[in-house]
Amino acid sequence: MAVPPILRLAIPSPLRRYFDYLPPAKTPYQQLQPGIRLQVPFGRRTLIGILVTIASQSEIETSKLRRAQYCLDKTPVVPNSLLQLLTWAASYYHHSPGEVFFSALPQLLRQGKPATSPIYRRWLLSSKDCTTDATILSRAPRQQQLVELLRYHPEGLTSSQIKAQLGTYQSSLRSLIAKGWVYSQEKPIYKSIPPSKEHLRHPLNDAQKAAVTTILAFQQKFRPFLLEGVTGSGKTEVYLRAIEEIIAKSRQALVLIPEIGLTPQMVERFHRYLQTPITVLHSALSDRERLAAWLAAYEGKTPVVIGTRSAVWAPLPRLGIIIIDEEHDSSFKQQEGFHYHARDLAIMRAYQTKIPIILGSATPSLESLDNVKRQRYHLLQLLQRAGVAQTPRIQLLDVRSRPLEFGLSPPLLAALRYHLGQGNQALLFLNRRGFAPTLICHECGFAVPCHRCDAYMTVHQHTNRLRCHHCGAEGPLPTSCPQCRNLLLRPRGLGTEQVEAGLKHFFPEIEIARVDRDTTRRAGTLNKMLDGIHNGKYRLLIGTQMLAKGHHYPNITLAGILDADQGLFGSDFRAGEHMSQLILQVIGRTGRGNKPGEVLIQTHHPEHPLLTALVGHGYRHVAEILLEERRQIGFPPYGYLALLRARAVSPDSPMKFLETARSMATAHNPHGVTLLGPVPAPMERRAGRYRAQLLLQGSARAPLQRLLTAWIPTLERLQAARKVRWSLDVDPIDLM
């Protein structure tokens, strides 16, 4: 009797293992290809699984194996190259294979929906001239708003897009349909944006030409390139020339960027240059849009995919090059659930596919700089700004003993008046949203805490609310002190909202844009703000790192950093690196056009060695200082880390679990691995849960991985593990 094949599946379960099943009854063997989805019984439930491999035997007796119910796909939805990457990721990060595989799929495919491109309905303004009925529209302001919105979007809008802009709109839409002013069309939801009529092509300088030539010499080989270029040096132009050559040979390109906010600007520039369809992938897409984009990439309808970290899973069968823009950015690390790093996965994907990968940055991560030293990466440098752009003049402002109004010193105010008086734009950076970080009683000193976190509530004066920026809890501003009942409650500290109020006071005639998470919550708001900045509507900008990263503002001639001291004394081992990178990103926003730029950095510690090194000698000098610190303590890139975290409602459970876990790890006698902790997390209580952590520090990657391989499966069987939520973070970017 023939032995039936064993289907090894990834099932969306927290268990760190694959599950074996027998094939569905009467299913042709040819249909059982790795990468297809099957519906299977799982306990008392029915789940979707992904076929990873077909085995000849199982650890479980064949008679006890359950049979899969049926196949959902005739051909794989996960191509073999992506299957290989996912398998490696589950092993390296020691995470549940099912959660790894399903995190890579669009939501509709996880739910078992067919892998076919969905259709959608768009609402468009008809050719009938509704402006002649202005009297009718003036009596129906909601209809007028909808008409204006659709006039601004001649390609039409979906229902979800209209709702994001206007909120409730259905009755207005019905009225406009009845008048014949609005109609709908059903189309496949995937629609790559057509190429621009303008073909934007800048001449390359010698350094750019050399970089492009070197990259293209390795089209059929794995080769990591670190493209280190000062801000404004033309790194994107190098990306475009390399991609142009790759897609001319009918291959595909994957471009990863750190923030959704950078997507429209990047996509527009790529369209104008490459004149080819481009697909975007990021978390702001609806489920149907994401499925359509996924299928467009898989079917080869699009030569270029641009997206944030989750786009590393894009199914590109003819992948020819990968580009990671701003490779140092911490946004590439997934901080919840499956703790992967998109940059590191992209490097592995390039290695498996045997293609070049470009890591671009003005401020490369210390790991990438070390890889250049070890000759693992090939260094390409762009040391001068492209075109006529000049390096801005940088000055440290000592604000000790100086009066500050709304966080602004007199020299910074004077500089703002001068640059705005010249008709230019100015940018102020403060990486703290809200009006003030705390609300304090002037009588007894009580600061209003978050009742779920070891943190204080942030004042949001615009909404008259207090909000915790760690767990999201919020409430109204109290009228009296909760402790002594005094009425003198005062905000303490500085946030972007307060700076905006000050700027309105000093510059009432200037249009101001505040760019932070609070002002850009609604879909489309950020794009409108960025458009307003580029067309000159907003001349004075205040924002967090959303405003500092990657944007091109040629008319900004002044950048002010209001509080450079935030990262100088951080408890995390990467604080100095991140501070230096962020300051240089802000500096890079000014002087990008044909006008000279100026940067003023307010600080209470102008003599701090990191600040003086950064301003006086540049990022490379700072990086050498930080690398030497890391070498002395054995932290990345001179050591390898894994962080075991635990949290629970009970304050004792996380520590008890981690103490048991440490004992089990010690029993494995790891050579070259040091166990540090367990200790309470720096913020012990967050969102009502007590947190603790155990750090593993390895002198090399191999012994740390061997320990994790033997240790992690045993933790799942611990009795103490049932009383906590625990997770493993391999290569953590912070220890907070």
Side-chain angles (χ1 to χ4, degrees), residues 500-624:
E500 181 188 28
L503 293 174
K504 288 179 178 177
H505 169 74
F506 290 117
F507 305 98
E509 74 287 356
I510 301 289
E511 285 275 1
I512 299 169
R514 172 164 61 93
V515 182
D516 57 31
R517 198 183 304 172
D518 296 323
T519 60
T520 57
R521 290 183 186 277
R522 292 186 64 177
T525 306
L526 178 59
N527 291 346
K528 284 186 176 180
M529 281 190 172
L530 296 178
D531 287 343
I533 294 170
H534 285 287
N535 64 32
K537 175 184 176 183
Y538 301 112
R539 294 182 51 217
L540 193 45
L541 323 174
I542 170 67
T544 58
Q545 58 184 336
M546 290 180 68
L547 188 61
K549 293 180 180 179
H551 300 291
H552 179 64
Y553 310 119
N555 204 37
I556 289 179
T557 56
L558 174 67
I561 298 174
L562 300 189
D563 185 4
D565 304 334
Q566 282 181 275
L568 291 178
F569 306 102
S571 58
D572 187 72
F573 76 99
R574 295 187 191 271
E577 178 186 4
H578 289 164
M579 179 214 69
S580 303
Q581 290 165 342
L582 196 50
I583 286 178
L584 285 174
Q585 287 292 314
V586 177
I587 290 172
R589 295 316 107 211
T590 185
R592 296 174 71 94
N594 55 8
K595 302 175 184 177
E598 180 181 10
V599 181
L600 299 179
I601 304 174
Q602 293 188 165
T603 174
H604 287 87
H605 303 277
E607 71 292 336
H608 193 284
L610 275 187
L611 279 181
T612 56
L614 193 64
V615 173
H617 304 285
Y619 180 73
R620 269 305 187 105
H621 185 70
V622 171
E624 290 299 326

Side-chain angles (χ1 to χ4, degrees), residues 333 335 339 641-645 727-733:
K333 176 75 173 185
Q335 298 284 32
H339 296 273
L641 304 178
L643 189 65
L644 183 64
R645 296 184 175 98
S727 64
L728 179 70
D729 189 353
V730 178
D731 303 330
I733 61 165

